[in-house]
Amino acid sequence: QFTQGHVKDYQMTAWLMAICLNGMNGVETAALCDAMVDSGEVMDWSSCSSICKDVNNLHKVDKHSTGGVGDKVSMILAPLVASFDLVVPMMAGRGLGHTGGTIDKLESIPGYRTQYSSEEFAKLLLTTDGSDDRLNAAIVSPSKDMVPADKRMYALRDVTSTVSCLPLQISSIMSKKIAERPDSLVLDVKFGLGSFNKNVEESLQLASGMIETGELCGINTTALVTRMDSPLGYAVGNWLEVKECIEIMSSKEAALSELSADLVNVTLALAAQMLVQGRKASNLRDGVVKAKENLHNGKAWKKFRDMVSAQGGDVDTIDFPEQYAQAQFSAQVRSSQTGYLESFNSLEVGLVGVNIGAGRKTVDDPIDKTAGILFHKRPGMHVVEGDVLATVYTERDDQLANAVQRILDSCTFSDAQIELPPLITNFVTNEGVEDFDQSIFDE
């Protein structure tokens, strides 16, 4: 009714405010989510039986992150999970404010296409190149015809201070994922300085609500709750993040930089749970072992190259990343003291990224694909006064000095060696919340 004009904006605004004031229970939130999904196109996998006879027997699994700084997990995760013959129909967004967007990052690869209809998207995932090897993974923008109610409702929420309302958050996030019609979904729900949720309690509440909605809508849904106090990995900025992912996927395990250890562990944990839900691993520990093997034996890298090629991207660019044009201006951030690095404030780092051109303040702002920050030291490491902590890259020369100072000011130091808090704190299912088992990463 709303998208067809039978419900006016002022009526919808009043209803949204009523939800904010009175709340919704789980069944009501799921019903809203279902109605939002039904407002537009949905993925119709059965219509693809002509190109893939067993399409209804293929397990479709996706992942959603609530967003952060340096969060480039999807670019590794989608091809990694697809290398196990699971279908990963990943729809991703653009960056806004301090958080980056996977679509912006992938579009830094020349020619990479992100706009597909739902029918084209399904065919892209399921078509083979003449062999039995389906693509299985693709990362695209949501079709403009999917969940049109959410776009209009969000515009009203944005100007009526109802963006933070939990049932509306849940229905907005989950409607776009449910429209993909996956069999299962794994959520990466973040908390901390660089997250929209500042404490773990807020993230647990959001995770539990999204899981309940997913399950009521018939999708097996679980969540990992992860910390976002410092940027994830060593790169922040569109092409710089793609390049870090290329390095991880194309390197042997022994050659991996310790600067990417946090990124790799979050990716492995999410991949492991997707493998469990896709019945490719018996438990989380088994999933980590299997995911780690395919990450380092070249199978994930092959899938990533196949994905880039299938979506029109220039494969030479990812095969020879060192040839990519570098930003015209750069400057180093040097440590002002000796000690142990505790953290980089990820919110401040993300805001610096926006100012140097790597992000956008409004949806219409252009972005600089080469702008960003590379970190040469990570939290927990010992540094000496004068050590290079990071390098800032930009086309905006007038922003360099300010960016360098703000990155330095975002650092906290300790005189004594520190033990970093766990990056992944909780595992959440429809049965409840438990502490995440850190030992699954042990050899």
Side-chain angles (χ1 to χ4, degrees):
Q1 296 290 311
F2 176 53
T3 54
Q4 293 172 0
H6 300 306
V7 175
K8 303 301 182 186
D9 282 359
Y10 71 87
Q11 294 172 309
M12 177 57 74
T13 299
W15 187 64
L16 294 173
M17 186 59 73
I19 293 172
C20 260
L21 293 173
N22 299 314
M24 276 183 154
N25 63 33
V27 173
E28 290 168 336
T29 303
L32 171 60
C33 188
D34 255 344
M36 292 168 67
V37 171
D38 289 342
S39 71
E41 283 185 359
V42 297
M43 295 289 286
D44 182 8
W45 295 104
S46 61
S47 68
C48 298
S49 57
S50 60
I51 58 173
C52 182
K53 293 180 180 179
D54 63 343
V55 61
N56 292 323
N57 297 321
L58 297 175
H59 191 95
K60 279 78 73 176
V61 56
D62 194 11
K63 160 261 184 187
H64 174 78
S65 168
T66 56
V69 180
D71 183 2
K72 55 197 79 75
V73 166
S74 292
M75 291 187 284
I76 306 171
L77 183 68
L80 173 57
V81 173
S83 71
F84 289 90
D85 204 29
L86 295 173
V87 178
V88 187
M90 192 171 285
M91 291 186 182
R94 298 189 182 278
L96 186 62
H98 71 278
T99 62
T102 300
I103 294 299
D104 292 326
K105 296 165 190 178
L106 285 168
E107 285 184 347
S108 68
I109 302 171
Y112 191 95
R113 177 186 170 192
T114 59
Q115 295 290 333
Y116 292 84
S117 69
S118 56
E119 183 179 356
E120 289 173 329
F121 184 33
K123 288 181 177 178
L124 177 68
L125 286 158
L126 300 175
T127 301
T128 65
D129 56 5
S131 67
D132 292 329
D133 189 19
R134 290 182 304 274
L135 182 60
N136 281 342
I139 304 178
V140 304
S141 296
S143 164
K144 61 182 177 60
D145 297 318
M146 275 191 169
V147 202
D150 179 60
K151 298 178 181 68
R152 290 193 56 193
M153 289 169 67
Y154 192 89
L156 296 177
R157 290 168 58 204
D158 195 33
V159 295
T160 56
S161 300
T162 55
V163 169
S164 61
C165 173
L166 192 63
L168 298 179
Q169 280 188 65
I170 291 169
S171 57
S172 176
I173 293 169
M174 293 299 289
S175 61
K176 293 186 282 289
K177 289 298 173 183
I178 291 167
E180 298 172 1
R181 295 297 190 232
D183 298 299
S184 64
L185 176 65
V186 179
L187 305 166
D188 178 3
V189 184
K190 298 190 179 297
F191 72 96
L193 296 172
S195 168
F196 295 108
N197 298 311
K198 300 307 177 187
N199 60 64
V200 71
E201 290 77 20
E202 290 176 358
S203 290
L204 287 170
Q205 187 178 14
L206 177 60
S208 297
M210 289 195 290
I211 288 169
E212 182 179 19
T213 297
E215 294 285 343
L216 286 170
C217 291
I219 296 169
N220 179 19
T221 309
T222 61
L224 298 181
V225 176
T226 66
R227 192 180 304 272
M228 180 43 71
D229 286 330
S230 293
L232 197 59
Y234 68 75
V236 173
N238 299 288
W239 168 251
L240 297 179
E241 294 190 38
V242 174
K243 190 176 179 182
E244 182 179 6
C245 293
I246 292 170
E247 179 182 289
I248 290 169
M249 287 184 283
S250 61
S251 298
K252 300 296 183 184
E253 182 175 8
L256 275 183
S257 169
E258 63 177 317
L259 299 175
S260 297
D262 56 347
L263 169 61
V264 171
N265 281 348
V266 169
T267 303
L268 289 175
L270 290 166
Q273 184 57 27
M274 292 169 79
L275 294 181
V276 170
Q277 292 176 203
R279 297 183 292 278
K280 299 291 183 180
S282 57
N283 54 48
L284 206 56
R285 187 182 300 274
D286 179 47
V288 166
V289 171
K290 289 177 175 176
K292 186 181 291 187
E293 181 179 357
N294 275 20
L295 181 60
H296 299 307
N297 65 14
K299 290 184 178 180
W301 171 236
K302 180 183 182 301
K303 274 293 178 188
F304 181 76
R305 291 182 79 256
D306 290 346
M307 183 182 80
V308 169
S309 177
Q311 294 188 233
D314 179 18
V315 177
D316 282 348
T317 298
I318 62 172
D319 283 343
F320 305 101
E322 68 282 353
Q323 296 180 10
Y324 200 92
Q326 187 171 293
Q328 184 177 357
F329 305 105
S330 64
Q332 294 178 332
V333 180
R334 294 185 176 273
S335 179
S336 58
Q337 63 188 84
T338 296
Y340 290 90
L341 187 60
E342 281 190 311
S343 69
F344 290 100
N345 183 320
S346 52
L347 173 59
E348 184 68 2
V349 170
L351 293 173
V352 169
V354 173
N355 283 351
I356 62 176
R360 53 172 69 87
K361 295 178 181 177
T362 70
V363 293
D364 297 320
D365 287 347
I367 58 168
D368 176 3
K369 297 171 183 176
T370 62
I373 304 140
L374 287 182
F375 291 93
H376 309 294
K377 300 289 185 181
R378 297 290 290 149
M381 291 184 175
H382 186 263
V383 298
V384 175
E385 183 178 351
D387 278 355
V388 178
L389 303 178
T391 304
V392 180
Y393 297 89
T394 184
E395 295 294 330
R396 302 177 181 178
D397 188 30
D398 60 330
Q399 293 292 330
L400 260 183
N402 177 260
V404 167
Q405 188 59 52
R406 287 179 67 180
I407 295 294
L408 183 58
D409 291 344
S410 79
C411 301
T412 56
F413 298 89
S414 170
D415 292 332
Q417 190 169 1
I418 59 170
E419 182 177 344
L420 295 176
L423 185 63
I424 308 172
T425 60
N426 299 97
F427 176 56
V428 190
T429 70
N430 62 344
E431 296 180 353
V433 179
E434 58 187 68
D435 292 340
F436 183 78
D437 181 6
Q438 308 297 325
S439 71
I440 67 165
F441 299 117
D442 297 341
E443 295 297 337

